[in-house]
Amino acid sequence: MTQLRSLFYETMRPQIRWEGGTRVPASPDKVAVVAQYSTTARVSRSLAALIQEVTEAGYFVLLVSACPVDAPLEWPADLDLERVAVLRKPNIGYDFGSWAVGIQHVPQVLKARLLLQLNDSLVGPLWSLERVLNDFEQTPHDWWGMVRSHQFAPHMQSYFLGFKPQVLQSQPFQDFWTRVSVHADKHEIINRYEVGFQRRLYNEGFTSGCFLDSREIVATGDNPMIQGWQQALEAGVPFVKRELLLNPNLIPGADRVPQVLEAEYDVHWRQWLP
């Protein structure tokens, strides 16, 4: 396996540290690399529920936290952390920076039979992830996403992706993570890393599948988790975008999200945030 090192990674490596004594196994079977950011050390209910779901499904979690607070993360007392390794890093590079650091610092994750790439930008899972994870694990494709969007260009939304060995062990995939660098413009990050990365996988001949294609619920130019938030829930996606709840003026009707979550799913969303 190629030694994965980039200037981005090497620059911040002196500030990367393990928290706690758990480490990723040398030859993991199923791994979830989770990018996390919060302004407090308290772990949100959303992140705790996500980790509980994936660990109960047999995944080992590598949590790459960009939380700027020096204190250790504060976990719910009833959450089993036996299969959770925590890597702390500076808050630089957004989620792709965190995933790049995780993969370069712990390259054995690329030996996994199944690898999930996740972040904590969603509220949820509001119910079991079994159906979603089964869809990934049973897909005949090389890689997979929970939601495929056709906004800007066809691409999987990067908060919930899955990869199989033929992708993980390929040179294009490994090279990509050594080329991640810092960009301030969010649209450039989407174009370069979310859309551009996936275009490269397509050009390499890798096939992809998804749990939900946005064309089933919204117009081509719409974001399925923004304009189509309610339809996505009805289609089985057990998440809503956090920004819908924090910014009820984001789109017309976003102010209805709390009421729908409470009335139809018995979810009080403020309990799910840090």
Side-chain angles (χ1 to χ4, degrees), residues 195-211:
V195 177
F197 166 54
Q198 297 180 30
R199 186 181 297 121
R200 183 170 183 184
L201 292 181
Y202 174 80
N203 290 339
E204 291 293 329
F206 294 118
T207 64
S208 62
C210 63
F211 179 76

Side-chain angles (χ1 to χ4, degrees), residues 127 229-230 233-234 256-267:
W127 58 82
W229 62 270
Q230 188 166 8
L233 287 169
E234 293 167 354
R256 296 180 47 249
V257 179
Q259 296 96 311
V260 170
L261 291 181
E262 185 170 350
E264 299 187 21
Y265 302 97
D266 194 27
V267 169

Side-chain angles (χ1 to χ4, degrees), residues 31-43:
V31 176
V33 181
V34 184
Q36 182 264 349
Y37 171 78
S38 64
T39 58
T40 70
R42 179 176 172 270
V43 170

Side-chain angles (χ1 to χ4, degrees), residues 56-76:
E56 288 181 353
Y59 289 81
F60 193 100
V61 170
L62 172 61
L63 180 75
V64 186
S65 174
C67 174
V69 179
D70 289 334
L73 298 181
E74 300 170 11
W75 298 89

Side-chain angles (χ1 to χ4, degrees), residues 32-268:
V33 181
V34 184
Q36 182 264 349
Y37 171 78
S38 64
T39 58
T40 70
R42 179 176 172 270
V43 170
S44 69
R45 180 175 176 182
S46 284
L47 180 60
L50 177 65
I51 287 176
Q52 181 173 344
E53 285 284 331
V54 296
T55 54
E56 288 181 353
Y59 289 81
F60 193 100
V61 170
L62 172 61
L63 180 75
V64 186
S65 174
C67 174
V69 179
D70 289 334
L73 298 181
E74 300 170 11
W75 298 89
D78 59 349
L79 183 63
D80 184 358
L81 298 176
E82 184 178 355
R83 296 173 58 83
V84 180
V86 178
L87 199 63
R88 300 290 293 268
K89 64 172 280 288
N91 181 28
I92 300 171
Y94 294 103
D95 292 333
F96 276 93
S98 292
W99 291 318
V101 164
I103 289 171
Q104 292 179 80
H105 203 73
V106 193
Q108 66 263 36
V109 299
L110 299 179
K111 298 179 181 179
R113 180 174 59 87
L114 298 171
L115 184 143
L116 288 170
Q117 175 185 300
L118 313 174
N119 72 18
D120 66 341
S121 67
L122 305 173
V123 172
L126 306 177
W127 58 82
S128 172
L129 278 176
E130 182 178 6
R131 185 179 162 203
V132 171
L133 294 178
N134 284 344
D135 193 74
F136 164 48
E137 296 185 5
Q138 295 172 13
T139 183
H141 297 286
D142 303 314
W143 67 284
W144 167 98
M146 183 172 68
V147 179
R148 190 196 306 272
S149 173
H150 293 267
Q151 186 184 32
F152 310 122
H155 67 284
M156 305 293 185
Q157 296 192 313
S158 60
Y159 46 72
F160 209 116
L161 301 178
F163 302 95
K164 295 191 173 181
Q166 54 269 39
V167 175
L168 298 176
Q169 296 168 15
S170 70
Q171 202 64 50
F173 183 87
Q174 296 184 19
D175 286 347
F176 169 81
W177 295 107
T178 67
R179 294 172 180 160
V180 171
S181 57
V182 178
H183 298 278
D185 187 282
K186 194 169 183 180
H187 291 292
E188 183 178 3
I189 293 171
I190 292 172
N191 184 60
R192 182 185 293 263
Y193 295 141
E194 190 168 55
V195 177
F197 166 54
Q198 297 180 30
R199 186 181 297 121
R200 183 170 183 184
L201 292 181
Y202 174 80
N203 290 339
E204 291 293 329
F206 294 118
T207 64
S208 62
C210 63
F211 179 76
L212 175 66
D213 190 298
S214 68
R215 291 174 296 188
E216 300 175 24
I217 62 171
V218 293
T220 299
D222 289 343
N223 186 315
M225 296 296 283
I226 301 295
Q227 285 85 1
W229 62 270
Q230 188 166 8
Q231 297 95 319
L233 287 169
E234 293 167 354
V237 174
F239 297 95
V240 293
K241 288 288 284 184
R242 184 167 54 200
E243 61 185 306
L244 275 174
L245 294 160
L246 297 179
N247 182 8
N249 297 317
L250 186 64
I251 59 168
D255 58 331
R256 296 180 47 249
V257 179
Q259 296 96 311
V260 170
L261 291 181
E262 185 170 350
E264 299 187 21
Y265 302 97
D266 194 27
V267 169
H268 302 273

